[in-house]
Amino acid sequence: MADCLQRETETLLRLSQVSSITSVFFGGGTPSLAHPSTIEKVLESISRHASLADSAEVTIEVNPTPVGMSRLEEFHRSGVNRFSIGVQSLQDKDLKLLGRDHNSQHALRTLAEARRLCPGRVSVDVMFGRPGQTLDSWERELSELLRVCDDHVSLYQLTVERGTALFKQVEQGQLALPAEEVMAAKYHSARTLLLQHGFQQYEVSNFARRNAVSHHNMNYWKGGQYIGVGPGAHGRFAPLEEGRAVREARVQTLEPDFWIQEVQHRGHATRRRIPLPSPLGLLEEVLAMGLRLTEGIAHQHWHIFCPEADLQTVFGTYPDVQNLLLSGHLILDDRGLRCSWDGLALLDGMLPTLLLALEGHMSP
């Protein structure tokens, strides 16, 4: 696995002809199970084929188990300078329900150790909307976490995945998820609490203070290029070595055994390559991702992807979009297009209207 991660990294970097890497994110699954030497070797492979500045953000997702905590210092020595800790909850019964193999004390100790190693560069994931969770208990739990966390919080609503024990319990009526309006109240309450603790919301699910934003994720939301390495990874880049200046969506083989075989055979395991030459397809991504940010989509940024029509031309005259503007959920001004505070919570419901407006403008 380690050898193939290095080889695929080198192959895809060569294909992209990229000269500089600004961030690296070891995520998806449980990367903290990897030996720290694997992380070090991948970073060395990147440095051999592109410039990886000392200031580049290098993040690893960590499960806060005793094993995960014990490796933090080694990961840091290997080149990691930012940790993302999957705390999820400080309620032991909920962690057990979610199938997590850590408890609240493990999480708190891991968080403290991560902050010692990378002060100001530790993120925590926390989940709301768990079965039996009341608004009061959620506020108390989040307040407790905010007293000990670092400068970045990722806030997620529980999604019950098919095939899990929790899904089966919900399906059989043994457990009930909170109603939609209760979920909305918890999200609103969390945003307010985070603001009171000095956190600024910069994306639908992400909050930072002291400018501790995730630069890697910002690249996704702003439509930048990125290379995906490893089983099931996704990427978006133009393979310039093949003479193609058109960006592709690339998906790597998911099954680890087959992924290893393909990398050994041809240097990478790209299973699907989807060209993104369609102006509409690219603009849909720019719109859907850019509006997740509180800053929204600046006029200059939109112009990079759509030089022939500005935001006002595309969206400003569409009747249903005008209703969103009049309601105050959407803002279109000299800064660009963005959601209001209330509108950000309703983005999923507004996107179909905006995508229809975009499609209507782009259609011949």
Side-chain angles (χ1 to χ4, degrees):
M1 175 67 78
D3 290 344
C4 287
L5 285 171
Q6 293 174 77
R7 188 172 177 194
E8 185 169 70
T9 296
E10 293 168 355
T11 300
L12 297 181
L13 281 170
R14 189 171 60 249
L15 276 172
S16 73
Q17 296 285 287
V18 69
S19 60
S20 177
I21 295 293
T22 57
S23 64
V24 182
F25 196 105
F26 293 94
T30 315
S32 56
L33 288 177
H35 194 277
S37 65
T38 299
I39 304 302
E40 186 174 13
K41 288 173 183 175
V42 170
L43 293 174
E44 287 172 354
S45 296
I46 294 170
S47 296
R48 282 197 298 270
H49 290 81
S51 169
L52 181 64
D54 291 339
S55 59
E57 179 186 272
V58 181
T59 304
I60 188 168
E61 290 184 339
V62 178
N63 274 355
T65 60
V67 172
M69 186 181 75
S70 70
R71 288 181 163 177
L72 291 180
E73 190 159 0
E74 287 183 86
F75 284 130
H76 185 49
R77 284 201 300 265
S78 298
V80 170
N81 56 28
R82 184 175 183 272
F83 293 110
S84 179
I85 312 292
V87 172
Q88 312 308 348
S89 172
L90 292 179
Q91 302 295 316
D92 288 344
K93 63 179 179 58
D94 286 357
L95 288 169
K96 191 171 182 180
L97 187 68
L98 293 168
R100 303 289 170 171
D101 51 2
H102 70 273
N103 61 36
S104 58
Q105 289 307 305
H106 294 151
L108 293 171
R109 286 196 290 267
T110 303
L111 179 53
E113 174 67 357
R115 292 187 68 186
R116 182 185 73 80
L117 293 166
C118 296
R121 306 196 79 173
V122 179
S123 177
V124 297
D125 289 356
V126 60
M127 189 179 291
F128 68 96
R130 307 187 297 268
Q133 183 189 54
T134 66
L135 182 60
D136 284 345
S137 68
W138 165 233
E139 289 177 345
R140 286 196 302 271
E141 181 180 3
L142 184 57
S143 295
E144 181 183 351
L145 182 63
L146 292 178
R147 284 194 290 271
V148 296
C149 74
D150 203 41
D151 291 337
H152 192 280
V153 173
S154 295
L155 182 70
Y156 298 109
Q157 179 177 317
L158 173 63
T159 301
V160 181
E161 300 289 346
R162 184 177 292 276
T164 62
L166 181 56
F167 179 89
K168 187 175 181 180
Q169 288 173 290
V170 171
E171 192 176 42
Q172 293 176 347
Q174 297 171 10
L175 293 172
L177 297 177
E180 192 173 323
E181 60 271 19
V182 177
M183 292 281 206
K186 288 175 182 173
Y187 179 63
H188 177 76
S189 171
R191 296 168 83 195
T192 303
L193 264 173
L194 282 154
L195 187 61
Q196 290 169 354
H197 282 77
F199 286 84
Q200 297 296 316
Q201 184 173 20
Y202 71 98
E203 192 268 345
V204 170
S205 301
N206 287 275
F207 304 77
R209 60 188 174 192
R210 292 184 271 272
N211 200 34
V213 302
S214 168
H215 297 293
H216 186 86
N217 287 338
M218 285 293 285
N219 182 60
Y220 293 147
W221 298 318
K222 290 194 169 186
Q225 295 193 81
Y226 55 96
I227 294 168
V229 175
H234 288 231
R236 295 279 193 282
F237 69 89
L240 296 179
E241 189 183 67
E242 296 178 349
R244 303 185 186 190
V246 172
R247 190 189 305 201
E248 295 179 344
R250 299 174 74 102
V251 182
Q252 308 308 103
T253 293
L254 177 62
E255 305 83 359
D257 288 343
F258 291 119
W259 174 82
I260 287 173
Q261 291 173 18
E262 290 173 32
V263 173
Q264 290 174 335
H265 179 64
R266 56 193 177 100
H268 66 88
T270 302
R271 178 65 59 91
R272 296 178 63 208
R273 297 174 59 176
I274 308 160
L276 295 171
S278 160
L280 177 60
L282 187 55
L283 288 175
E284 285 175 341
E285 284 194 4
V286 171
L287 181 69
M289 299 300 278
L291 284 181
R292 293 183 62 88
L293 295 168
T294 53
E295 67 183 46
I297 305 166
H299 289 290
Q300 302 93 318
H301 187 68
W302 180 261
H303 182 75
I304 294 170
F305 298 93
C306 185
E308 68 278 0
D310 60 24
L311 288 165
Q312 178 65 42
T313 302
V314 177
F315 300 105
T317 58
Y318 192 77
D320 289 342
V321 174
Q322 286 183 325
N323 290 336
L324 295 174
L325 294 168
L326 288 170
S327 71
H329 291 128
L330 201 62
I331 300 168
L332 178 57
D333 58 15
D334 57 355
R335 286 169 51 188
L337 181 68
R338 64 190 181 281
C339 296
S340 66
W341 167 267
D342 290 329
L344 203 63
L346 304 172
L347 176 59
D348 286 350
M350 296 193 295
L351 268 178
T353 297
L354 291 160
L355 291 169
L356 277 174
L358 177 60
E359 187 177 348
H361 177 81
M362 300 294 290
S363 297

